[in-house]
Structure formats: C-alpha cells, structure tokens
Amino acid sequence: MTNVEKVVDEEHGASRKDRPTGSTHFGDVDFAEERTEEIGDATWGEVCRTCCVHTPEEWGYIFIGLVMVLFFLYFFLFGLELLGSAAKVLGGCTAGALFGDDTNPVAGLMIGILATVLIQSSSSTTSIVVSLVGAGSVSVRSGIFMVMGANIGTSVTNTIVALGHLGDGDELERAFAGATVHDMFNFLTVAVLFPLELITHYLQAFSKALVPDERDGQGEKWEGPIKKIVSPLGEKVIKANSDVTKAIAQGKATCENGDKFYPVNCVGGVISKKTCVPSKNVDYSGLSADQIPKVGLITCGDGGCPAFFQNEATRKDDEISGGVTFFLGLFILIVCLIGLVTILQKILMGVSTRIIYKATNVNGYLAILIGAAITILVQSSSITTSALTPFVGLGALHLEQMFPLTLGANIGTTITGILSAMVSDGVDALQVAYCHTLFNITGIIIWYPVPFMRRVPLRMARTVGKGTRIWRGFPVLYIFVTFFIIPLLLLGLSSLFEQDSKGFTVLGSVLVVILVLIIIWFMYKWIKGGLRESITESFTRRQRRYVANQNLPDDMDMIKAELARLREHTGLLEAEETVEDAVEDAAEDTVEDAAEDTVEDAVEDTLLLKVGNNSA
C-alpha cells in the first residue's frame, strides 16, 4: 500500500477495494454495501484458524470480551424480564377485559394482538386463552382466532429492541429488517389461513383429530432454565399477578376497590407471601375483610415480596409502579444493547464476512430446530428473537439466517400453550394449543420450503428496513400503526356487528364499505398515483431537517472559521456583526429547508457579493 493509500486508510477506514481478494471485513467503511450473494465462500480451515489461533495476549482480550458479553446478555434478558412483568402489570386489567364471551373472528384476532402487545408475551396470552377455553368461557373457534392474533402481537418486542440501533443508520436498517421479518411471516400466514379457517375450519378439524375424546388434567407448570436464572432477580423488583387477567377474563372479578384484588391487604400489616397472598387451600369464609389476604396486579413470590409491592395499594398505585418498572426495564435494555453491540464489534473487528457467514450459515431446517429449542429453553419467542436482533443489526447474522431461526421460535413458543393445556381438564384447551402449533407449522410449509415463496417475507422485511433510511422516525410510526391503531380500528368496527341492533349493523356495514373504498383508493394512488413518491419525499425532507438541526452547531463553527480565513486572505474588514448576522440568517434558512439552501451556500453568496462590491 502506498503512503497516500495509508493516509486515506487512516482517515477514512479500510475498504474491501483496497484488498486484492476484495473481501469485506467488519469495520470497513463500505461494510454495508456488500450483498449476501457477493460474499465469497470460506473454508472450515479458515474458520478454525480465525476462531482458535491466537496469541496469549489475544486470548486474554477474547476472554475479557466474552465475560462482558455474558454480563450484558444477562442484564439484557433481565431488562426483557422487567419489561414483560411491567407490561403485565400495566395492561393486566385492560387485557383481561378484552377477553370475554365468544366474539366474531375479526374481533378475536384483534383481541389476540392487543392483549399480547399489552402484556408483551404471546405465551401468556396463549395460556390465558387456553385456560378460558378449558373453563368454557371461550369457545374453541374463538380461541383459534385469538392465538392467531397472539402470534402477530408477540413480534412487537423485538421490533422495540431494534430501536436501540437508532444511532447508526446501517445497523438500524439491518436490525429493523431482522425484527420485522417475524412480522411479515405472521401477517402473510394470517392473510392465508384466516380466510381458509373461516371457510373450511381446517385448523379446528385437524386439531380435533389429534386430541382424545376425554382426558383428565395432568402434569405441572414447567419453567425453563433461563427463567430460573433471570426470574429470581426480576422478582426482587416486580412480580406480576397473572391471576388478575384470568379472573377478569372469566368475569369472576374486577380491578375496582372493594372487589377481589383491591385494595391490597396484608394481614396484620406484615408484608410476606404468607400474610399477603391468599392460599387456595384455606377457607376464608366467615372472616372479616382485614383478616383476608389480598393482592392485586403485583404479587409476592417464594423469595418474598418485590420492591414495588406495597400494602393497601390501589390499582392506580400498582400501575404507577408498573410504569416506572417499564421505563427502568427499557433503560436497562437499551444500555445493555449498546454495550453488547459495542463489545461484539470490538471482538469481530477485522474479521472477514466470509468467515462469519461460513460459521453461521447452517442449514435452514436445522436453524428452525435450533430456534425452537432455544425458545423452549427460554419459554419466550420474544426473548429469542430480541436476543438475535442485535446480531442482525451488527451484520454478524444475515436476514436469510434470521428468518428460519424466527420460524423455529414461533414453533417453540407454542409448547408453552401445550404445557398449560396439559394441566387443564377436558380436550378443548388442548385442541386450541394444538391449533397454535398447526398454524405455525402450516405457515412454515407455505412460506419457507419453496425459494420463490421464501423471498416474499424477506423482500417485505428488507423494504420495511429501507424505510428507516428515509426517515429515522419510521420504526416508531410503524409500531403504533401496526400494533395499536389498526387493531383498535378493526376491533371497534367489528364490535358494531355484535350489538344486536339493526342501526349499529347498518352503520358497521357502511363503514366497512367506506374502509374498502379507502383501501382501494390508497392502493391505486400508491401504485400509479404518485402517493409512494410523495410520502417518501415527505419522510426524506423530515430526515434532512433533523440531520441539519443536529449538525447546525458544527456547521456554524466551521463557517465562521472559514469566513475568518477568507477575510484574512481577501483583506476584507467587514464588521463582525454583519458576518454573524449573515451566518444566523443562513442557519435559519437551513432549519426551514435543510437541503435547498444550505448554510455554506448562503454565506458564500454573501461573501462573494461583498468581494464584488469592494472590487467595484
């Protein structure tokens, strides 16, 4: 390499163009430009040498790096645990109220989505649905559509985790695509199986054939090893009471003061599990209210009562505690995500993408099994996909490799529902749990084995990922529209048809027609009417304004320094106030339109005008 190339390399970083082999390494300035099909094939010998051949000093750094990775990974999972528990506290009463009597299929689907978004766990939603079906509160048919919705709602967690990469455009694009490939698969599978189930009852009939005619509940709740490691620390902070959501869903209680859960009462004012949590084996009839233990959304565990538990708490008190814990969990999650990515970047710095791709490029069907096994261990598809999302953002895991792992996570999370159903008497609960598994297996059969079909969710995820390039605020907009606005809109619309009123039915029918016409108009304008270009331009303009505002202080300092240099060079002796006014006026133009009239151009025009006047 020449001296000039060395200077360029030091100033701008390494590039694959500088290497005879043309291979890309982590840390290259053009790292994000390499496409999957451009990655060369490495040998396993190269992988082994890169992995295992190091000096003692390098092994020391690797050991320290791995210890730090495990540290950040543990507290990353701890943050997820707090996030999930806090969401259950915040949305427990509301989620319970969503479940009720049999609903129409659209309402069942939307309830599944919203309940899962509120409590941040498809496993919990599925377990609640299974218990409601087992108790006869919800029919098998309604339960099937609710678990479909739970499958969609569970992907919100790793989509939120992808927001931790907002500081880097390349990482955000990759991470958001890696997170939303889960969404795309779920949307596409529901788009196919929802109408199919309405017409043919495919899932209901198939699952019915898999269960016996009669059975007694047996077995007990199983807790995965990761839960056993992370949960004890999480329960020191907050522990959600899942009985609240189930009781409200079954119509047995409310969250109002004076009912089953509030206000919280610890017998004798002593805070402990024995004095605060009612026992199922004790008959409290005949006792006064102050002698009956009572807990609300926050409960106590075997290790004692958590820090946010308080005696005589109301629903508002518990929800405030849940809100504080939610932001605490989110803060821990983001800090650990940044730490995890930084350490991994240091470890992978300079490693060829050929080596990483070879090491992680396992057979797709084997990756599905790996994803399922990991999810069974951690008992949450959200944890699996959320832990893998930073690796996608970093570039260590490609979207094509993330996709089968996500599919496996979808299969693994259904095991929780099956285990919950095993405890319930009867066959209906087990049938719904099997429906959840069949739903995901059918989706995999449709969207994975055939390469052409596999490319559909991958392309959709990449397109959504590219939206972050246009505007950094796009992920937040996507989350609110996809997981809140659309489900609430469709739930409200579908509820009009369940009021036993001709007026509401007619109103609902009119609104459906209007909605269909709006969708048709939107699709036409999007494809041929220039709506896509208009929205893209609007997002681009927003992003340019944001970038201009961020860079404005540095730009003004640079311009003032350049003006001072030009004044000295040309001999101009203008008043300092005039120059500063010109800079400030130009800066205001920049804020109003970042790209059309930059600060530099405005000040340069002003300066050239002054030079022309002096020359004249």
Side-chain angles (χ1 to χ4, degrees):
M1 187 181 291
T2 64
N3 291 333
V4 174
E5 289 174 325
K6 287 181 180 178
V7 171
V8 171
D9 200 50
E10 290 174 0
E11 291 182 354
H12 302 287
S15 169
R16 59 176 173 166
K17 298 174 184 177
D18 300 330
R19 300 186 184 93
T21 60
S23 64
T24 303
H25 292 190
F26 278 85
D28 285 356
V29 291
D30 50 2
F31 176 79
E33 298 175 8
E34 186 179 47
R35 293 176 295 181
T36 303
E37 56 269 21
E38 296 175 343
I39 300 175
D41 189 27
T43 65
W44 283 110
E46 290 178 301
V47 174
C48 291
R49 284 193 296 273
T50 303
C51 170
C52 306
V53 180
H54 300 286
T55 65
E57 183 180 2
E58 288 173 339
W59 276 117
Y61 285 123
I62 291 172
F63 175 76
I64 294 172
L66 291 177
V67 170
M68 294 183 71
V69 165
L70 291 175
F71 172 82
F72 283 118
L73 183 60
Y74 176 83
F75 282 98
F76 177 83
L77 296 175
F78 172 65
L80 280 176
E81 175 78 11
L82 289 184
L83 207 64
S85 296
K88 290 181 180 70
V89 171
L90 281 170
C93 295
T94 306
L98 286 173
F99 297 104
D101 298 329
D102 283 348
T103 56
N104 64 65
V106 174
L109 182 69
M110 297 306 119
I111 286 170
I113 295 173
L114 290 169
T116 306
V117 169
L118 285 172
I119 61 179
Q120 292 282 295
S121 172
S122 65
S123 299
S124 297
T125 302
T126 306
S127 296
I128 292 170
V129 172
V130 165
S131 64
L132 291 176
V133 173
S137 301
V138 172
S139 68
V140 171
R141 184 150 179 76
S142 294
I144 291 172
F145 295 109
M146 288 179 184
V147 295
M148 282 188 185
N151 230 58
I152 292 176
T154 190
S155 56
V156 70
T157 306
N158 62 319
T159 309
I160 292 173
V161 169
L163 297 179
H165 296 270
L166 277 171
D168 187 297
D170 293 333
E171 288 186 11
L172 179 62
E173 180 181 354
R174 291 192 294 264
F176 200 64
T180 54
V181 73
H182 195 184
D183 303 353
M184 301 306 128
F185 168 77
N186 289 330
F187 294 151
L188 291 168
T189 304
V190 168
V192 173
L193 294 187
F194 183 81
L196 183 66
E197 177 64 20
L198 282 176
I199 298 169
T200 67
H201 296 216
Y202 153 70
L203 293 173
Q204 188 173 358
F206 201 160
S207 60
K208 181 68 174 176
L210 295 176
V211 298
D213 294 332
E214 293 182 5
R215 63 178 295 277
D216 295 324
Q218 54 187 333
E220 57 184 22
K221 185 177 180 182
W222 180 76
E223 188 176 24
I226 302 299
K227 280 275 186 182
K228 289 181 179 180
I229 295 172
V230 177
S231 292
L233 182 59
E235 290 178 2
K236 294 292 184 183
V237 181
I238 195 168
K239 180 177 173 62
N241 185 5
S242 58
D243 291 339
V244 174
T245 304
K246 291 180 181 179
I248 293 173
Q250 293 173 354
K252 296 180 179 179
T254 68
C255 282
E256 300 300 322
N257 276 349
D259 209 325
K260 183 178 180 180
F261 299 110
Y262 290 106
V264 172
N265 181 52
C266 293
V267 178
V270 179
I271 297 179
S272 68
K273 181 180 180 180
K274 185 177 180 179
T275 56
C276 298
V277 182
S279 174
K280 296 178 181 179
N281 302 321
V282 177
D283 183 11
Y284 295 104
S285 58
L287 297 178
S288 61
D290 60 347
Q291 294 177 312
I292 301 175
K294 189 190 297 185
V295 290
L297 289 163
I298 302 176
T299 187
C300 302
D302 294 332
C305 295
F308 279 100
F309 181 85
Q310 54 181 324
N311 190 21
E312 300 181 354
T314 62
R315 172 184 174 178
K316 183 179 179 181
D317 295 329
D318 279 355
E319 288 182 343
I320 290 173
S321 297
V324 173
T325 307
F326 187 87
F327 284 104
L328 176 64
L330 197 61
F331 174 76
I332 292 173
L333 199 70
I334 292 173
V335 170
C336 290
L337 179 64
I338 294 171
L340 195 62
V341 169
T342 303
I343 298 300
L344 288 172
Q345 282 177 333
K346 298 292 184 183
I347 292 175
L348 295 174
M349 187 66 69
V351 178
S352 172
T353 53
R354 296 186 308 112
I355 306 297
I356 298 296
Y357 188 73
K358 183 71 173 180
T360 58
N361 189 28
V362 298
N363 178 273
Y365 298 100
L366 178 59
I368 291 175
L369 293 177
I370 293 172
I374 294 173
T375 305
I376 291 171
L377 288 175
V378 301
Q379 285 194 288
S380 171
S381 60
S382 299
I383 290 179
T384 303
T385 53
S386 297
L388 292 172
T389 297
F391 290 90
V392 181
L394 193 60
L397 200 63
H398 286 263
L399 190 60
E400 290 80 2
Q401 298 157 338
M402 177 67 170
F403 186 38
L405 290 168
T406 297
L407 300 183
N410 269 7
I411 295 292
T413 195
T414 64
I415 304 300
T416 304
I418 293 176
L419 292 172
S420 298
M422 290 293 185
V423 183
S424 303
D425 292 332
V427 298
D428 289 348
L430 188 60
Q431 185 180 350
V432 171
Y434 282 157
C435 283
H436 194 193
T437 305
L438 288 171
F439 170 82
N440 282 293
I441 291 175
T442 305
I444 291 172
I445 292 173
I446 295 172
W447 299 109
Y448 191 74
V450 182
F452 170 75
M453 299 296 287
R454 188 188 311 162
R455 285 194 289 269
V456 175
L458 290 172
R459 284 175 178 170
M460 291 174 66
R462 282 200 174 92
T463 301
V464 173
K466 289 177 181 176
T468 63
R469 287 284 191 183
I470 300 172
W471 181 39
R472 293 284 178 89
F474 174 73
V476 178
L477 178 66
Y478 170 87
I479 291 171
F480 275 101
V481 171
T482 304
F483 296 107
F484 291 99
I485 296 176
I486 292 178
L488 284 171
L489 177 65
L490 293 179
L491 179 61
L493 189 60
S494 65
S495 67
L496 293 175
F497 294 91
E498 297 182 338
Q499 304 301 318
D500 292 329
S501 167
K502 288 185 179 180
F504 280 119
T505 302
V506 171
L507 176 61
S509 302
V510 172
L511 291 176
V512 167
V513 172
I514 293 174
L515 182 62
V516 170
L517 291 176
I518 290 174
I519 292 173
I520 294 173
W521 173 84
F522 180 85
M523 292 178 66
Y524 173 78
K525 295 290 287 184
W526 182 266
I527 297 171
K528 292 191 175 182
L531 182 62
R532 176 167 54 184
E533 292 76 11
S534 176
I535 292 176
T536 302
E537 183 181 349
S538 175
F539 283 172
T540 303
R541 193 159 50 245
R542 282 177 175 274
Q543 182 63 21
R544 280 158 53 184
R545 286 198 185 103
Y546 172 77
V547 173
N549 280 325
Q550 291 292 104
N551 296 334
L552 187 58
D554 292 337
D555 288 343
M556 292 183 66
D557 289 340
M558 182 271 293
I559 292 168
K560 288 180 179 180
E562 186 67 14
L563 283 172
R565 187 186 66 80
L566 288 173
R567 284 202 308 272
E568 183 178 351
H569 178 73
T570 58
L572 289 175
L573 296 175
E574 295 292 336
E576 186 177 350
E577 291 78 5
T578 305
V579 176
E580 290 180 354
D581 289 342
V583 174
E584 290 175 1
D585 291 342
E588 289 175 2
D589 291 341
T590 304
V591 173
E592 292 174 1
D593 195 337
E596 295 178 5
D597 188 14
T598 63
V599 178
E600 293 90 340
D601 291 339
V603 176
E604 185 178 352
D605 291 344
T606 304
L607 184 61
L608 289 174
L609 181 63
K610 292 178 181 296
V611 172
N613 291 337
N614 286 348
S615 299

